[in-house]
Amino acid sequence: MLLGTLLVLFLLGGTGPASAHAALRATDPEDGTVLKSAPRHLTLTFTESVGLLDDSFRVLDPDGRRLRTGEPEHARGGGDTARVALPGKMAQGTYTVAWRVVSADSHPVSGAFTFSVGKRTLTMATVDTGPTEDPATKGLYNIARYLAYLAAALLIGTATFMAVCRPPDAPVLASLLRTGWWTLLAATLALLVLRAPYETGEGPLGSLSIESLTRTLTSRPGVVLLARLALLLVAAVYLVRLSRRRRPYGWSGAALAAGLAVTWAAGEHASAGIQVPAAMTSSALHLLATAVWLGGLTALLATLYRAHLTPVAVTRFSRLAFASVTVLVVTGVYQSWRGLGSWDALTGTTYGRLLTLKLAAVCLLLGAAALSRRWTARLATADAETVVREVEKVPEPVGGPPLPEPPQSDVPQTDAPQSDAPRSDAPPARDPRRRALRRSVLAEVAVGAAVLAVTTILTSTLPGRAEAEAAGQAPAVVGASVTNVPFDVGTPGGRGKVQITLDPGRVGDNSIEALVYGPDGGVSIVPELRVSFTLPAKDIGPLDAELTDKGGYWGNSFLNLPIAGTWEMKVTVRTSEVDQVSETRTVVVR
């Protein structure tokens, strides 16, 4: 199955790009243009529909003062645009625009660009578009998302295990249902509270107000979370009846589980990009299969430790787990192709590397599952042999009616042997096959939790398709040398890349422009960027490029490189007062 997954990824890797995070497609006015007269509006066009914030646009004049603009709105072209009206009178010079929107898959994106009216000027504006997410808010938000995944798996998986495998009554299963329900409720409420500061890039307490909560509840992510809360309230009734055996799981329970899965599909990558209906269906099935497998494993493990579980119930779950794995493989192949878009993206993007890590974890998970199936088969075989031996010991009456049961004495018999039949709430008898099964199931649960952790990170990472498309939006300069320099200062949010364009890349005067991209692929603002050139073969340099902040990018129009050859370009990026890193790349000057 795993080899088939890789084969399909390889065969379908050449399909054209499409995004699942919003990538900026175009700006009007274009970045860096000089206009004869002031524009009336600013318009941004994205690769997918976006949501607008109250502070989606910040426009700074050549002196660094913020302009009064209209309310952000969508242009008539549709939801994939963001537009704002500019004031009627604008002085000559270079203006800096910082923007921030929320993509259709609920992730915020931001960036900046410049345009000039009449002539270019040296702007003093320093625009901090801010981190796409505040580190503390993002951390809490991701913890809540991970707990929601775990709780959904525990809730749906335990309920399915009880309904399909029909284990003996055990208090531990009811406890698992309650834990899953309450954890999912708390995590969903936390996501609702943190949604506003997560979108605006503020701290956890930065947007706690009635206005912010109202905006969240009327947005699509907020509506999805409200729908999840409503389904949880209905699910509480069914779970009580299921735990008391008053009502079977049935189609109503299956519909509730599917509804909960859809709330994830409607708020994640599946809700944007190409083939949205098929992607949302695949995502919901993927989550359901994960919940049935991993949540059912947790219920199986708890029952193996706390109650006497018959081999028949274990065998039923083994078949159910195999069906879940089949669904996971089919839907995982489709989602991997949709998220990557190309074979190179598997190793060339963060999304692809995380997907590779998840695939390796799933390999370990399948190995543990194979061991569990083997011990399940041995346990079932041993149980069948025990039944046969017990039947052979029972004497068969020859003719006549069966012998009556011996009368039960009301007097306690202290010397009578007690029955060894296991009770449903008693711990299981010591059996090497059961111990081996418990160990293999425990390994599955542990690796499964790691898989869910990687999945949580994966769903908040820019997909390979979107990253390729965002990179493709950078204008190409004919005859110029373009170099991408990745960097990582080792702090949260302190990684990205610097795209350096050297034009024309020949001996003599050159213009150099450097654009810094953050970890989300959007344009990032850094307090300092230095570039120097050294020609070791001629012992020339280092020559400082003397970059200046142009408001959204760094540049210098007069960089003299006197000799042709392979130069070493040293790039130093400072992201804070104390955090900086230097990287070196080679550049050929013709």
Side-chain angles (χ1 to χ4, degrees):
M1 287 182 178
L2 293 172
L3 290 176
T5 301
L6 295 177
L7 180 61
V8 171
L9 286 173
F10 176 76
L11 292 176
L12 299 181
T15 305
S19 64
H21 274 31
L24 182 63
R25 187 187 299 276
T27 64
D28 184 15
E30 294 183 0
D31 185 17
T33 57
V34 180
L35 307 175
K36 293 182 178 179
S37 58
R40 298 181 59 185
H41 297 88
L42 289 176
T43 305
L44 309 181
T45 305
F46 297 88
T47 55
E48 65 176 46
S49 59
V50 294
L52 302 179
L53 306 171
D54 294 337
D55 201 29
S56 279
F57 286 94
R58 284 178 290 158
V59 184
L60 304 183
D61 66 11
D63 296 326
R65 294 188 297 266
R66 184 170 179 176
L67 297 182
R68 289 182 175 271
T69 59
E71 293 293 327
E73 61 182 3
H74 294 293
R76 292 185 178 181
D80 61 345
T81 60
R83 189 178 187 183
V84 66
L86 296 174
K89 295 182 179 180
M90 297 176 63
Q92 287 189 341
T94 299
Y95 290 79
T96 305
V97 181
W99 54 268
R100 184 182 184 89
V101 296
V102 181
S103 60
D105 59 359
S106 77
H107 296 288
V109 290
S110 61
F113 68 97
T114 63
F115 69 93
S116 302
V117 177
K119 63 178 181 179
R120 287 192 178 94
T121 58
L122 181 61
T123 176
M124 300 303 295
T126 55
V127 178
D128 182 10
T129 60
T132 304
E133 300 100 357
D134 178 80
T137 303
K138 182 181 180 181
L140 292 174
Y141 193 82
N142 282 336
I143 290 173
R145 291 174 65 240
Y146 180 62
L147 290 177
Y149 274 120
L150 282 178
L154 185 62
L155 183 63
I156 297 174
T158 303
T160 305
F161 178 79
M162 294 174 64
V164 176
C165 302
R166 297 190 291 277
D169 291 334
V172 66
L173 294 179
S175 299
L176 290 179
L177 286 177
R178 289 192 296 269
T179 301
W181 190 89
W182 282 107
T183 303
L184 184 55
L185 178 67
T188 304
L189 291 174
L191 290 173
L192 270 176
V193 173
L194 292 170
R195 184 66 207 178
Y198 177 72
E199 289 183 348
T200 57
E202 297 179 296
L205 304 178
S207 296
L208 293 182
S209 64
I210 299 299
E211 182 181 356
S212 299
L213 184 60
T214 302
R215 187 177 70 247
T216 298
L217 295 178
T218 55
S219 65
R220 194 179 70 165
V223 172
V224 169
L225 293 174
L226 286 177
R228 187 180 302 170
L229 288 175
L231 288 171
L232 279 175
L233 295 179
V234 178
V237 179
Y238 283 90
L239 293 177
V240 170
R241 294 182 178 180
L242 177 63
S243 62
R244 295 178 179 177
R245 301 290 182 179
R246 294 181 180 178
R247 183 185 179 95
Y249 192 59
W251 291 107
S252 299
L256 280 172
L260 286 173
V262 169
T263 61
W264 270 272
E268 300 291 350
H269 292 159
S271 62
I274 62 173
Q275 303 172 358
V276 171
M280 290 186 61
T281 302
S282 175
S283 179
L285 290 175
H286 196 81
L287 179 61
L288 285 174
T290 302
V292 169
W293 186 16
L294 299 184
L297 279 174
T298 306
L300 174 64
L301 181 64
T303 311
L304 283 171
Y305 274 100
R306 299 295 183 87
H308 180 80
L309 189 62
T310 63
V312 174
V314 179
T315 303
R316 287 173 183 157
F317 178 75
S318 182
R319 295 167 182 165
L320 181 64
F322 181 80
S324 300
V325 170
T326 303
V327 174
L328 282 173
V329 169
V330 174
T331 56
V333 168
Y334 171 74
Q335 291 178 201
S336 299
W337 163 77
R338 185 176 181 270
L340 286 173
S342 68
W343 181 253
D344 293 337
L346 189 61
T347 56
T349 63
T350 302
Y351 184 90
R353 289 187 287 271
L354 283 173
L355 190 61
T356 303
L357 178 62
K358 180 180 178 181
L359 187 62
V362 170
C363 288
L364 295 177
L365 193 58
L366 291 175
L371 289 176
S372 297
R373 284 179 62 85
R374 181 180 302 175
W375 286 114
T376 298
R378 293 182 180 181
L379 188 62
T381 302
D383 183 72
E385 293 175 353
T386 301
V387 171
V388 170
R389 287 194 298 268
E390 293 297 330
V391 170
E392 291 175 349
K393 292 178 182 179
V394 177
E396 180 179 354
V398 181
L403 296 175
E405 295 289 336
Q408 300 292 333
S409 174
D410 295 334
V411 180
Q413 303 292 330
T414 57
D415 297 333
Q418 301 297 318
S419 172
D420 293 331
R423 303 192 312 272
S424 62
D425 58 346
R430 293 184 177 181
D431 185 340
R433 288 176 292 267
R434 290 182 180 273
R435 288 199 301 269
L437 180 60
R438 286 197 296 265
R439 286 195 295 266
S440 62
V441 172
L442 180 60
E444 283 189 78
V445 172
V447 179
V451 170
L452 283 181
V454 177
T455 301
T456 303
I457 301 173
L458 198 62
T459 55
S460 61
T461 303
L462 184 69
R465 285 181 180 267
E467 188 170 338
E469 185 169 353
Q473 300 301 322
V477 181
V478 178
S481 168
V482 180
T483 306
N484 291 312
V485 183
F487 68 88
D488 188 349
V489 298
T491 59
R495 59 184 177 86
K497 69 175 181 180
V498 183
Q499 185 182 78
I500 299 176
T501 303
L502 189 64
D503 184 23
R506 294 181 177 275
V507 171
D509 285 337
N510 290 263
S511 67
I512 180 173
E513 292 184 358
L515 197 59
V516 182
Y517 292 95
D520 64 331
V523 176
S524 178
I525 305 299
V526 296
E528 185 178 9
L529 179 66
R530 300 192 304 273
V531 177
S532 62
F533 292 85
T534 303
L535 186 60
K538 301 293 184 180
D539 197 21
I540 297 178
L543 305 179
D544 189 2
E546 299 181 355
L547 297 182
T548 57
D549 188 357
K550 301 295 186 181
Y553 71 97
W554 297 72
N556 180 12
S557 300
F558 304 101
L559 171 63
N560 185 24
L561 299 175
I563 299 177
T566 301
W567 291 70
E568 290 184 355
M569 179 175 64
K570 182 180 179 181
V571 181
T572 301
V573 184
R574 182 167 65 85
T575 59
S576 68
E577 292 296 330
V578 295
D579 299 314
Q580 75 174 33
V581 66
S582 297
E583 300 289 345
T584 302
R585 293 293 185 273
T586 58
V587 176
V588 176
V589 176
R590 301 181 300 279

